[in-house]
Coordinates of all heavy atoms in Angstrom, one line a residue:
G1 N 7.8 18.4 3.9 CA 9.0 18.3 4.8 C 9.9 17.1 4.5 O 10.8 16.8 5.2
A2 N 9.5 16.3 3.5 CA 10.4 15.1 3.3 C 11.5 15.5 2.4 O 11.6 16.5 1.8 CB 9.5 14.1 2.5
E3 N 12.5 14.5 2.6 CA 13.8 14.8 1.8 C 13.5 14.1 0.4 O 13.0 13.0 0.4 CB 15.0 14.1 2.4 CG 16.2 14.2 1.6 CD 17.4 13.6 2.3 OE1 17.3 13.0 3.4 OE2 18.5 13.4 1.8
L4 N 13.7 14.9 -0.7 CA 13.4 14.4 -2.0 C 14.7 14.1 -2.7 O 15.6 14.8 -2.7 CB 12.7 15.5 -2.7 CG 12.2 15.2 -4.1 CD1 11.0 14.2 -4.1 CD2 11.8 16.3 -4.9
V5 N 14.6 12.9 -3.5 CA 15.8 12.4 -4.3 C 15.1 12.3 -5.7 O 14.3 11.3 -5.8 CB 16.4 11.1 -3.8 CG1 17.6 10.8 -4.7 CG2 17.0 11.5 -2.3
V6 N 15.6 12.9 -6.7 CA 15.0 12.7 -8.1 C 16.1 11.8 -8.8 O 17.3 12.3 -8.8 CB 14.9 14.0 -8.9 CG1 14.4 13.7 -10.3 CG2 13.8 14.9 -8.1
T7 N 15.7 10.6 -9.2 CA 16.7 9.8 -9.8 C 16.1 8.9 -10.9 O 14.9 8.4 -10.6 CB 17.3 8.9 -8.6 OG1 18.3 8.0 -9.3 CG2 16.3 8.1 -8.0
G8 N 16.7 8.6 -12.0 CA 16.2 7.7 -12.9 C 15.1 8.3 -13.8 O 14.5 9.3 -13.5
E9 N 14.7 7.5 -14.9 CA 13.8 8.0 -15.8 C 12.3 7.6 -15.4 O 11.4 8.2 -15.8 CB 14.1 7.6 -17.3 CG 15.4 8.2 -17.9 CD 15.6 7.8 -19.2 OE1 14.8 6.9 -19.7 OE2 16.6 8.3 -19.9
R10 N 12.2 6.3 -14.9 CA 11.0 5.8 -14.6 C 10.8 5.3 -13.0 O 11.8 5.3 -12.4 CB 10.7 4.5 -15.4 CG 10.7 4.9 -17.0 CD 9.6 5.7 -17.2 NE 9.4 6.1 -18.7 CZ 8.6 7.0 -19.2 NH1 7.7 7.7 -18.3 NH2 8.6 7.2 -20.4
Y11 N 9.7 4.9 -12.7 CA 9.4 4.6 -11.3 C 10.3 3.4 -10.9 O 10.8 3.3 -9.7 CB 7.9 4.1 -11.2 CG 7.6 3.4 -9.9 CD1 7.5 4.0 -8.7 CD2 7.5 2.0 -9.9 CE1 7.4 3.3 -7.5 CE2 7.2 1.3 -8.7 CZ 7.2 1.9 -7.5 OH 7.0 1.3 -6.4
A12 N 10.5 2.4 -11.8 CA 11.4 1.3 -11.4 C 12.7 1.7 -11.0 O 13.4 1.0 -10.1 CB 11.4 0.2 -12.5
D13 N 13.3 2.8 -11.6 CA 14.6 3.3 -11.3 C 14.6 4.0 -9.9 O 15.4 3.6 -9.0 CB 15.1 4.3 -12.3 CG 15.1 3.8 -13.7 OD1 15.5 2.7 -13.9 OD2 14.6 4.6 -14.7
A14 N 13.6 4.6 -9.6 CA 13.5 5.2 -8.2 C 13.3 4.1 -7.3 O 13.8 4.3 -6.1 CB 12.3 6.3 -8.2
L15 N 12.6 3.2 -7.5 CA 12.2 2.1 -6.6 C 13.6 1.3 -6.2 O 13.8 1.1 -5.0 CB 11.3 1.0 -7.2 CG 11.0 -0.2 -6.3 CD1 10.4 0.2 -5.0 CD2 10.0 -1.1 -7.0
A16 N 14.4 1.1 -7.3 CA 15.6 0.4 -7.0 C 16.5 1.3 -6.0 O 17.2 0.7 -5.1 CB 16.5 0.2 -8.3
E17 N 16.7 2.6 -6.2 CA 17.4 3.5 -5.3 C 16.8 3.4 -4.0 O 17.5 3.5 -3.0 CB 17.4 4.8 -6.0 CG 18.3 5.0 -7.3 CD 19.7 4.6 -6.9 OE1 20.4 4.9 -5.9 OE2 20.2 3.9 -7.8
S18 N 15.5 3.5 -3.9 CA 14.8 3.5 -2.5 C 15.2 2.2 -1.7 O 15.3 2.3 -0.5 CB 13.3 3.7 -2.7 OG 12.7 2.6 -3.1
E19 N 15.2 1.0 -2.5 CA 15.5 -0.2 -1.8 C 17.0 -0.2 -1.3 O 17.2 -0.8 -0.2 CB 15.2 -1.4 -2.8 CG 13.7 -1.6 -3.1 CD 13.5 -2.5 -4.2 OE1 14.5 -2.8 -5.0 OE2 12.3 -3.1 -4.2
R20 N 17.8 0.4 -2.1 CA 19.2 0.4 -1.6 C 19.3 1.3 -0.3 O 20.0 1.0 0.6 CB 20.1 1.0 -2.8 CG 20.6 -0.1 -3.8 CD 21.7 0.5 -4.6 NE 21.1 1.3 -5.7 CZ 20.7 0.8 -7.0 NH1 20.7 -0.5 -7.2 NH2 20.2 1.6 -7.8
W21 N 18.6 2.5 -0.3 CA 18.7 3.3 0.9 C 18.0 2.6 2.1 O 18.5 2.8 3.1 CB 17.8 4.6 0.5 CG 17.7 5.4 1.7 CD1 16.6 5.6 2.4 CD2 18.7 6.1 2.5 NE1 16.8 6.4 3.6 CE2 18.1 6.8 3.6 CE3 20.1 6.3 2.3 CZ2 18.8 7.5 4.5 CZ3 20.8 7.1 3.3 CH2 20.1 7.7 4.4
A22 N 17.0 1.9 1.9 CA 16.3 1.1 3.1 C 17.3 0.1 3.6 O 17.4 0.0 4.8 CB 15.0 0.5 2.5
A23 N 18.0 -0.7 2.6 CA 18.9 -1.6 3.2 C 20.1 -0.9 3.9 O 20.6 -1.4 5.0 CB 19.4 -2.5 2.0
Q24 N 20.5 0.2 3.5 CA 21.7 0.9 4.1 C 21.3 1.6 5.4 O 22.0 1.7 6.2 CB 22.2 1.9 3.0 CG 23.3 2.8 3.5 CD 23.5 3.9 2.7 OE1 23.4 4.0 1.5 NE2 24.1 5.2 3.2
S25 N 20.0 2.2 5.5 CA 19.8 3.0 6.6 C 19.0 2.4 7.6 O 18.9 2.8 8.8 CB 19.0 4.3 6.1 OG 17.7 3.8 5.5
G26 N 18.1 1.3 7.2 CA 17.2 0.6 8.1 C 15.9 1.3 8.1 O 15.0 0.9 8.9
A27 N 15.6 2.3 7.2 CA 14.3 2.9 7.2 C 13.2 1.9 6.8 O 13.5 0.9 6.2 CB 14.4 4.1 6.1
L28 N 12.0 2.3 7.2 CA 10.8 1.5 6.9 C 10.3 1.7 5.4 O 10.1 2.8 5.0 CB 9.8 1.7 7.9 CG 8.4 1.0 7.4 CD1 8.5 -0.5 7.7 CD2 7.3 1.6 8.3
A29 N 10.5 0.7 4.5 CA 10.0 1.0 3.2 C 8.5 0.8 3.0 O 7.9 0.0 3.6 CB 10.6 -0.1 2.3
V30 N 8.0 1.9 2.4 CA 6.5 1.8 2.3 C 6.2 1.8 0.8 O 6.4 2.8 0.0 CB 5.9 3.2 2.9 CG1 4.4 3.2 2.7 CG2 6.2 3.4 4.3
H31 N 5.9 0.6 0.3 CA 5.7 0.5 -1.2 C 4.3 1.0 -1.7 O 3.4 1.0 -1.0 CB 5.7 -1.1 -1.4 CG 6.1 -1.4 -2.8 ND1 5.1 -1.3 -3.9 CD2 7.2 -2.0 -3.4 CE1 5.7 -1.7 -5.1 NE2 6.9 -2.1 -4.8
A32 N 4.5 1.5 -2.9 CA 3.4 2.2 -3.5 C 2.2 1.2 -3.7 O 1.0 1.8 -3.7 CB 3.8 2.9 -4.7
Y33 N 2.3 0.0 -3.9 CA 1.2 -0.9 -4.3 C 1.5 -2.3 -4.0 O 0.5 -3.1 -3.9 CB 0.9 -0.8 -5.9 CG 2.1 -1.0 -6.8 CD1 2.5 -2.3 -7.2 CD2 2.8 0.1 -7.2 CE1 3.6 -2.6 -8.0 CE2 3.9 -0.1 -8.0 CZ 4.3 -1.4 -8.5 OH 5.4 -1.7 -9.3
D34 N 2.6 -2.8 -3.7 CA 2.9 -4.2 -3.5 C 3.4 -4.6 -2.0 O 4.1 -5.5 -1.8 CB 4.1 -4.6 -4.4 CG 3.9 -6.2 -4.8 OD1 2.8 -6.7 -4.7 OD2 4.9 -6.8 -5.2
H35 N 2.5 -3.9 -1.0 CA 2.6 -4.4 0.4 C 1.1 -4.8 0.8 O 0.1 -4.1 0.3 CB 3.1 -3.2 1.2 CG 4.6 -3.2 1.3 ND1 5.3 -2.2 2.0 CD2 5.5 -4.0 0.8 CE1 6.5 -2.4 1.9 NE2 6.7 -3.4 1.2
E36 N 1.1 -5.6 1.6 CA -0.3 -6.0 2.1 C -1.1 -4.9 2.7 O -2.2 -4.7 2.5 CB -0.2 -7.2 3.0 CG -1.5 -7.8 3.6 CD -1.4 -8.9 4.5 OE1 -0.9 -9.9 3.9 OE2 -1.8 -8.8 5.8
E37 N -0.3 -4.0 3.6 CA -1.0 -2.9 4.2 C -1.5 -1.9 3.1 O -2.5 -1.2 3.4 CB 0.0 -2.3 5.2 CG 0.3 -3.1 6.4 CD 1.3 -4.1 6.1 OE1 1.9 -4.2 5.1 OE2 1.6 -4.9 7.2
T38 N -0.7 -1.7 2.1 CA -1.1 -0.8 0.9 C -2.4 -1.3 0.4 O -3.3 -0.4 0.2 CB 0.1 -0.7 0.0 OG1 1.2 -0.4 0.6 CG2 -0.4 0.3 -1.1
L39 N -2.5 -2.5 0.1 CA -3.7 -3.0 -0.5 C -4.9 -2.9 0.4 O -6.0 -2.5 0.1 CB -3.6 -4.5 -0.8 CG -2.7 -4.7 -2.1 CD1 -2.2 -6.2 -2.1 CD2 -3.5 -4.7 -3.4
L40 N -4.6 -3.2 1.8 CA -5.7 -3.0 2.7 C -6.3 -1.6 2.8 O -7.4 -1.3 2.8 CB -5.3 -3.5 4.0 CG -5.0 -5.0 4.1 CD1 -4.3 -5.4 5.5 CD2 -6.3 -5.9 3.9
G41 N -5.2 -0.7 2.9 CA -5.6 0.7 3.0 C -6.4 1.2 1.7 O -7.4 1.8 1.8
Q42 N -5.9 0.8 0.5 CA -6.7 1.3 -0.7 C -8.0 0.6 -0.7 O -8.9 1.3 -1.4 CB -5.9 0.9 -2.0 CG -4.3 1.3 -1.8 CD -3.7 2.6 -1.4 OE1 -4.6 3.3 -0.7 NE2 -2.6 3.1 -1.8

């Protein structure tokens, strides 16, 4: 049920777009690997 956006050739391209959306919308960014909570969960 998530809204999907396909953009760019690599993960870094998608990350840049997601960061722009987070800044614009105020959504909570959930990083794939570089957040403390992510490391703790894994």
Side-chain angles (χ1 to χ4, degrees):
E3 182 179 354
L4 180 75
V5 180
V6 181
T7 180
E9 295 183 357
R10 297 295 180 192
Y11 166 77
D13 304 317
L15 178 61
E17 290 300 319
S18 75
E19 290 171 341
R20 278 191 278 272
W21 171 252
Q24 173 187 336
S25 68
L28 174 69
V30 181
H31 200 284
Y33 53 86
D34 208 21
H35 276 174
E36 183 174 296
E37 291 83 3
T38 304
L39 285 158
L40 293 171
Q42 319 309 28

